[in-house]
Amino acid sequence: MIGLRMMETSKMQYFIGLSCVTHLLFMTVNGFYTSSDDVIELSPSNFNREVIQSDNLWLIEFYAPWCGHCQRLTPDWKKAATALKGVVKVGAVNADEHKSLGAQYGIKGFPTIKVFGLNKNSPEDYQGARTSQAIVDSALNSLRSMVKSRLDGKSSGSDHGRQSSGSKKDVVELTDDNFDKNVLDSDAIWMVEFFAPWCGHCKNLEPEWAAAASDVKEQTKGKVKLAAVDATVHQELASRYGIRGFPTIKIFRKGEEPEDYNGGRTRSDIVASALDLFSENAPPPELLEILNEDVLQKACEEYQLCIISVLPHILDTGAVGRNTYLDVIRRMADKYKKKMWGWVWTEAGAQMDLESSLGIGGFGYPAMAAINSRKMKFALLKGSFSEQGIHEFLRDLSMGRGSTATVGGGALPKINRVEQWDGKDGELPIEEDIDLSDVDLDDIKDEL
């Protein structure tokens, strides 16, 4: 009889143990918390949206389902979450399943509790006891501190996860929903940064990326665009393009496979790379004759520099000679097309105010000047009007070398309205025949 009872006791202990193992396995697969709890389960897909972009104070437990200390904390964590509901957010991350999220915040042991307060980029470690009362008391103290900081005028500094020292108005924010329409269906070239809000390298890149975006937009007239994707939120995009590190920059052209950007990460590096991308397939800039004020203003006010050529009178060169000069200018415009300069020309004597304001004429014709209309400074070509001479002149300008002077009068001069050159040789004015049959030469002699 005693032996039978011992056998029944052993069976009961076996089933109890089996039940505990089953429960533990269930918790290992599914985590500690369910939708009926007041603890919010967090993962890489919702962490940025729920926590980083939130104005709430968050207490977050990083746990592993196999961890005994985590299992013992669970009932107190749930109880604290219920008590703080509507006041402080309480979350949990299965850091065994979401190792990357744990690594982002330096989680080395379980459970680790962090407080995400005013600055979400710099969470603090929770150092209190692991009871529900201690957790609630600590949360309320942190909340008071956060409210006091706001009262003192301190801001979060998080900018939804990315600190910024400049405007990001020209960086296009891309998402899972708008990516294809904006990028893949666009004729523009796109440079897209995939970032993570917690990534230090991404934070360092951000002001450079923002400043470059404005420069590139202006210099390519929107033909090259800079954009950013929060890869922790828009994981579908990150997965589609195999993003494994941050920041990753990819280049997208319509109808082509994306390619990795391997250039420098400074503002100047990014702008230079963008201009190279633009110039690869861009047509050469148009060379326009100065027919009216609008032509000169567009060339000089819409571009960093405008290159003005003053060619000899058509009677001095004929059509062949003029076209030879124009071909030289066009080849140089194509050579320097990534600089995004304006290119115009006029005939000697047609725009005398312009020539005077630039000091043209003293060196003869043809002549060339480069104007920076924002500074109202100009430089004159003093070498030969040839591909080599013009190249040396423009190369020095692009490198910030060469002497400059102030445009005469400090503004663009008055421009005459003229007829467009018809492409033909010039013709001398026809002299009128004078009929002297009615003139009395004797009278003229008397007058003399």
Side-chain angles (χ1 to χ4, degrees):
M1 190 69 175
I2 294 173
L4 182 60
R5 287 179 179 173
M6 291 179 66
M7 288 179 63
E8 289 176 350
T9 301
S10 297
K11 286 182 180 180
M12 185 175 295
Q13 290 174 340
Y14 168 77
F15 283 115
I16 291 172
L18 181 60
S19 175
C20 290
V21 171
T22 302
H23 180 62
L24 179 59
L25 288 174
F26 178 81
M27 291 174 64
T28 301
V29 175
N30 296 282
F32 290 169
Y33 307 101
T34 67
S35 58
S36 62
D37 295 318
D38 293 313
V39 177
I40 301 171
E41 277 278 8
L42 298 166
S43 67
S45 64
N46 68 358
F47 195 91
N48 184 70
R49 181 181 67 253
E50 294 288 344
V51 180
I52 302 301
Q53 298 186 30
S54 169
D55 292 327
N56 296 104
L57 178 78
W58 276 82
L59 264 64
I60 300 176
E61 171 204 8
F62 292 82
Y63 71 91
W66 45 260
C67 161
H69 293 296
C70 302
Q71 294 166 22
R72 287 190 288 275
L73 172 62
T74 299
D76 282 289
W77 197 247
K78 289 181 179 180
K79 188 175 180 181
T82 300
L84 292 168
K85 186 175 181 179
V87 180
V88 173
K89 297 279 189 177
V90 177
V93 175
N94 184 341
D96 188 56
E97 179 181 356
H98 305 298
K99 292 182 173 63
S100 62
L101 195 53
Q104 293 166 21
Y105 294 102
I107 306 305
K108 295 181 174 61
F110 305 109
T112 293
I113 300 173
K114 287 189 174 286
V115 182
F116 289 76
L118 191 64
N119 188 347
K120 298 295 192 298
N121 292 317
S122 300
E124 299 175 358
D125 290 329
Y126 171 81
Q127 304 289 359
R130 303 298 173 86
T131 65
S132 57
Q133 185 62 56
I135 294 167
V136 169
D137 290 342
S138 178
L140 294 177
N141 287 334
S142 296
L143 185 61
R144 290 189 190 94
S145 177
M146 187 172 79
V147 171
K148 185 178 185 301
S149 295
R150 287 178 178 171
L151 190 63
D152 293 338
K154 296 180 181 179
S155 61
S156 66
S158 63
D159 193 27
H160 297 320
R162 298 231 293 176
Q163 294 180 345
S164 174
S165 60
S167 170
K168 298 184 293 182
K169 62 183 178 65
D170 294 318
V171 177
V172 182
E173 183 179 349
L174 297 172
T175 67
D176 289 329
D177 296 329
N178 70 11
F179 186 89
D180 289 2
K181 180 179 179 181
N182 281 345
V183 178
L184 302 186
D185 297 338
S186 169
D187 292 325
I189 299 171
W190 286 78
M191 299 177 70
V192 181
E193 175 207 3
F194 293 82
F195 73 90
W198 45 264
C199 162
H201 293 298
C202 302
K203 294 173 185 176
N204 292 335
L205 173 62
E206 183 182 15
E208 303 293 325
W209 195 248
S214 297
D215 290 346
V216 170
K217 180 181 179 180
E218 178 183 1
Q219 295 184 43
T220 69
K221 304 304 175 188
K223 300 297 184 181
V224 179
K225 300 178 183 292
L226 270 62
V229 175
D230 186 340
T232 65
V233 174
H234 307 289
Q235 294 187 330
E236 179 184 333
L237 279 175
S239 176
R240 188 199 304 184
Y241 294 109
I243 307 302
R244 294 182 175 83
F246 305 110
T248 293
I249 300 171
K250 287 188 174 288
I251 300 165
F252 293 83
R253 297 182 181 88
K254 189 173 185 178
E256 299 181 19
E257 289 295 314
E259 61 183 84
D260 290 331
Y261 169 79
N262 296 310
R265 302 295 175 88
T266 67
R267 173 181 181 173
S268 59
D269 289 334
I270 298 164
V271 171
S273 297
L275 293 179
D276 285 341
L277 290 170
F278 173 75
S279 64
E280 285 175 5
N281 300 312
E286 189 176 6
L287 175 60
L288 299 173
E289 183 180 1
I290 303 175
L291 304 176
N292 52 54
E293 191 171 311
D294 290 342
V295 174
L296 184 64
Q297 284 187 341
K298 182 176 181 181
C300 290
E301 294 181 2
E302 292 187 10
Y303 298 94
Q304 180 186 13
L305 289 179
C306 57
I307 312 300
I308 300 174
S309 298
V310 182
L311 303 183
H313 196 281
I314 190 64
L315 293 176
D316 294 332
T317 62
V320 173
R322 174 166 291 183
N323 282 321
T324 299
Y325 287 131
L326 291 175
D327 287 342
V328 169
I329 300 170
R330 289 190 182 99
R331 285 194 293 273
M332 299 313 298
D334 188 30
K335 184 179 184 68
Y336 282 88
K337 63 182 178 181
K338 72 178 181 179
K339 295 296 184 182
M340 294 298 295
W341 293 338
W343 295 78
V344 293
W345 70 276
T346 186
E347 181 180 78
Q351 305 293 346
M352 291 304 297
D353 288 344
L354 177 62
E355 292 187 36
S356 176
S357 68
L358 300 176
I360 290 176
F363 298 97
Y365 303 104
M368 177 178 283
I371 297 180
N372 182 328
S373 64
R374 294 175 186 173
K375 297 181 179 180
M376 277 301 153
K377 297 285 187 179
F378 74 94
L380 276 179
L381 168 67
K382 296 181 180 178
S384 64
F385 199 96
S386 63
E387 288 193 40
Q388 181 62 32
I390 296 172
H391 167 62
E392 291 175 358
F393 171 60
L394 298 179
R395 180 193 61 197
D396 287 346
L397 282 179
S398 65
M399 298 177 68
R401 297 201 298 254
S403 59
T404 61
T406 301
V407 175
L412 292 177
K414 178 183 177 181
I415 298 299
N416 300 321
R417 185 177 293 274
V418 298
E419 293 294 324
Q420 186 173 10
W421 177 50
D422 58 9
K424 300 178 182 179
D425 288 330
E427 295 181 359
L428 288 170
I430 300 175
E431 295 183 2
E432 295 182 7
D433 292 331
I434 302 175
D435 185 3
L436 299 178
S437 61
D438 295 333
V439 177
D440 188 341
L441 296 179
D442 291 336
D443 291 342
I444 295 176
K445 289 180 181 178
D446 294 339
E447 290 178 3
L448 295 173

